[in-house]
Amino acid sequence: MGLDVGWAVRWLTLSAQAMAEHRVELIELDRPIGDSDHGENMDRGFKAVMDKLAEAPPETPGAALKLTAMTLMSKVGGAAGPLYGTAFLRAATALGNTSDVDAATLATALQAARDGIVVRGKAESGDKTMVDAWTPAIEAAAAAAADDGDVRKVLIAAAEAAEAGAVSTDPMLARKGRASYLGERSIGHRDPGAVSSALILRAAAGAAE
């Protein structure tokens, strides 16, 4: 069985809960290498997504992700709004109008999200950005989709790889964004965008349980 619009709404709801629960953690991660506003921005953005979902319940997973993209682009400041907005919009486009997302389509949508982030942020793996969480996630998702075809296993593989990817940013030298201005002093700090990406992908897996 694939993923329906109920899963998408649960995913976004769990994402909103995760952003609220980890708001302070994301602020603390962002403080030494960014603007200290990542947690605040993400929490505000997903609260707005919840309001939009209540106003106009989506009929397909793709519609839910498109609504999320538009909302995050308008409500989340800094680089995160355009990056996450692009990611959700690319994923929504990949899903199209289907009401039942299978493993292969899911893996394709996750890759589209990552590719959107790469294009928008002009970042690549090793730059100490959210790409370092998304790239291992899509690789793990693709492998799980090819191996088993179980959507829940695809999401769990993506979430676990994203969490490991976020941790991997600790020793990296930042080469993009505000953190890059710190040079060597960026080493030893975890990228907050990679952490919020891992939280979102964990929420996606949790929504499929």
Side-chain angles (χ1 to χ4, degrees), residues 19 26 29-30 33 38 42 80 83-84 117 128-134 166 169 190-200:
M19 293 307 140
L26 293 173
L29 288 171
D30 198 28
I33 60 174
H38 190 60
M42 295 301 292
L83 289 169
Y84 276 120
I117 292 169
K128 197 181 182 86
T129 71
M130 61 175 68
V131 173
D132 293 302
W134 279 92
T169 65
R190 191 164 301 174
D191 180 70
V195 174
S196 61
S197 294
L199 290 171
I200 289 170

Side-chain angles (χ1 to χ4, degrees), residues 142-163:
D147 180 57
D148 188 277
D150 183 317
V151 290
R152 184 171 176 272
K153 290 181 180 178
V154 171
L155 290 168
I156 290 172
E160 290 177 348
E163 287 161 357

Side-chain angles (χ1 to χ4, degrees), residues 1-8 10 61 98-103 106 151-152 155 204 207-208:
M1 187 174 68
L3 302 168
D4 60 12
V5 67
W7 162 77
R10 286 193 299 276
T98 184
S99 59
D100 187 45
V101 181
D102 62 22
L106 174 63
V151 290
R152 184 171 176 272
L155 290 168

